[in-house]
Amino acid sequence: MTVPEDTSAAPPAAGAAAGGSPGKAPAPRAGGARTRRHPLARFLLRRVLIAILLAWGITLVTFVLTNLVPGDPAAANLGQRALGDPAIVAQWRQEHGLDKPLPQQYLLHLGGLLSGDLGTSQQSHRPVSQDLAETVPATLELAGAAILVSLVLGVAFGVVAALRRDRLSDHLLRVLSLIGISVPTFWLALVAFYVFFYRLQLTPGSGRIDPGLTAPPPVTGLATVDSALAGQWDVFASAVGHLLTPALVLALYTIGLLTRFTRSAVLEVLGQDYVRAARAKGLPGRVILFRYVLRSALVPIITVAGLAFGSLLSGTVLVEAIFAWPGVGQYAYKSATTLDLPAVMGVGLVVGGVYLVINLIVDVLYGVIDPRVRLQ
């Protein structure tokens, strides 16, 4: 919507004051374009500085909460015979830095993070960064497919429900969205695995690809992308088949959430004066929907989509366990059961970092879509 400028208090043009033609406007100054870019630059700078501060807070909160977990890491990792020998226990604590005070442990942990060292896993005896490099791409592939399906279906269903308000299709979509929000994800995963794989044998089993196939050369860590890059189309078809069921299970909740939020946002925009004015001017409904309605409704939709992606990434533990998906969820579960503190902190940092990046992207999109956000 174009808002007319308030010229009641504007000073007279330079040409008019000098006796020239009042219709001539003063020539724009050379630095005008640079000045107009300053609000967006300041907006981005503020968001980056806030993101750095939050990143430090994530490291502190992750370290404190991990060390507040009840239990003894030595008892969880050493056998009964080793626990009976105080010398072995003391040596194990010294090797893993658990004999030092907590503030010193945090400083050592923070120094390792700045150098890219997340520590060594107590269960795999490998660097935590190496374990996460193998498990995080699998979870990103699963969560990315789920959020992509959720955005397409959720936004489409929400727009249809808003345009057909109080009709049969609207009531049906609202009921389906309520079901999607209410059904527990782990129960749906169990039902989907039992029905579609065990009973009907319509979908492949657990894992990312069929056991008899050769995994593609790792480039991105995403089985679908790597197999397509390598030209292994049989592996690509198998990877898509294995990805389909868990992604749809994860997406059901987000589809219901986005459907309801999109419907509310579109209905709010449809009642605005500029939308009624566009209709009165005779603009096609497609132009009104995409140019005016959806663009104005994108801000709350982007907010929900960003939070939903973070929730999908951090909430795949049970789904990955049911479908034997080798992602960060299974790694986090095994690390928590063995009190593998470096691995648990590494997973917490990854999840917190993903939320941080998503919030930063959402903030930037706010400023791009709505200029009022970056000017305030």
Side-chain angles (χ1 to χ4, degrees):
M1 180 179 66
T2 304
V3 181
E5 297 182 358
D6 185 8
T7 58
S8 58
S21 175
K24 293 183 179 180
R29 286 184 288 180
R34 186 169 60 254
T35 305
R36 286 195 296 270
R37 287 198 296 268
H38 285 171
L40 182 58
R42 289 196 300 268
F43 175 80
L44 296 178
L45 180 61
R46 286 197 303 268
R47 291 300 183 267
V48 171
L49 293 177
I50 292 174
I52 294 174
L53 182 62
L54 289 176
W56 171 78
I58 289 173
T59 63
L60 180 61
V61 171
T62 303
F63 179 83
V64 171
L65 292 181
T66 303
N67 284 275
L68 288 178
V69 174
D72 187 4
N77 289 273
L78 295 177
Q80 292 296 326
R81 296 181 61 182
L83 284 175
D85 191 343
I88 296 178
V89 175
Q91 181 181 0
W92 189 89
R93 291 182 179 277
Q94 183 180 4
E95 290 177 354
H96 293 87
L98 299 178
D99 59 334
K100 299 178 176 61
L102 283 180
Q104 189 175 355
Q105 291 184 37
Y106 174 70
L107 291 178
L108 292 175
H109 173 65
L110 192 59
L113 290 179
L114 294 177
S115 61
D117 182 16
L118 298 179
T120 303
S121 172
Q122 299 165 6
Q123 56 175 330
S124 65
H125 305 289
R126 300 194 310 170
V128 175
S129 57
Q130 185 177 348
D131 290 341
L132 292 175
E134 296 177 358
T135 56
V136 169
T139 301
L140 285 176
E141 185 175 33
L142 180 58
I147 196 64
L148 182 62
V149 173
S150 302
L151 283 172
V152 173
L153 296 181
V155 174
F157 289 164
V159 171
V160 171
L163 296 179
R164 302 183 62 84
R165 182 179 183 180
D166 294 332
R167 298 183 185 179
L168 178 61
S169 55
D170 178 27
H171 294 303
L172 181 61
L173 288 173
R174 291 169 66 184
V175 170
L176 292 177
S177 65
L178 183 60
I179 293 175
I181 295 174
S182 305
V183 174
T185 303
F186 72 90
W187 178 85
L188 183 63
L190 287 171
V191 172
F193 187 82
Y194 175 77
V195 173
F196 295 107
F197 169 69
Y198 183 74
R199 298 295 298 180
L200 301 179
Q201 296 184 354
L202 295 177
T203 58
S206 57
R208 300 179 72 184
I209 59 174
D210 293 335
L213 298 176
T214 303
V219 178
T220 63
L222 311 179
T224 52
V225 177
D226 290 347
S227 58
L229 292 176
Q232 297 175 291
W233 300 113
D234 54 341
V235 180
F236 175 79
S238 176
V240 172
H242 282 264
L243 180 65
L244 187 61
T245 306
L248 289 177
V249 168
L250 277 175
L252 184 62
Y253 173 83
T254 312
I255 290 173
L257 190 65
L258 283 174
T259 299
R260 299 178 72 86
F261 267 88
T262 303
R263 179 183 181 274
S264 300
V266 172
L267 283 177
E268 183 178 356
V269 176
L270 286 175
Q272 298 296 323
D273 292 338
Y274 59 87
V275 175
R276 289 195 290 265
R279 287 175 176 170
K281 289 169 59 179
L283 292 178
R286 183 180 66 258
V287 175
I288 296 175
L289 177 62
F290 289 100
R291 184 177 298 178
Y292 296 97
V293 177
L294 277 183
R295 182 173 181 180
S296 300
L298 273 181
V299 172
I301 295 173
I302 289 175
T303 304
V304 176
L307 295 175
F309 182 75
S311 299
L312 287 175
L313 192 64
S314 59
T316 59
V317 177
L318 294 175
V319 175
E320 288 184 359
I322 293 170
F323 289 95
W325 193 266
V328 71
Q330 283 205 64
Y331 183 71
Y333 172 75
K334 294 177 182 178
S335 303
T337 53
T338 59
L339 287 180
D340 189 351
L341 299 185
V344 171
M345 286 189 289
V347 172
L349 289 175
V350 167
V351 175
V354 169
Y355 268 104
L356 192 62
V357 172
I358 290 174
N359 285 332
L360 181 60
I361 293 174
V362 168
D363 286 342
V364 172
L365 290 177
Y366 285 167
V368 172
I369 294 172
D370 192 347
R372 294 172 299 179
V373 175
R374 61 176 181 259
L375 291 175
Q376 288 175 353

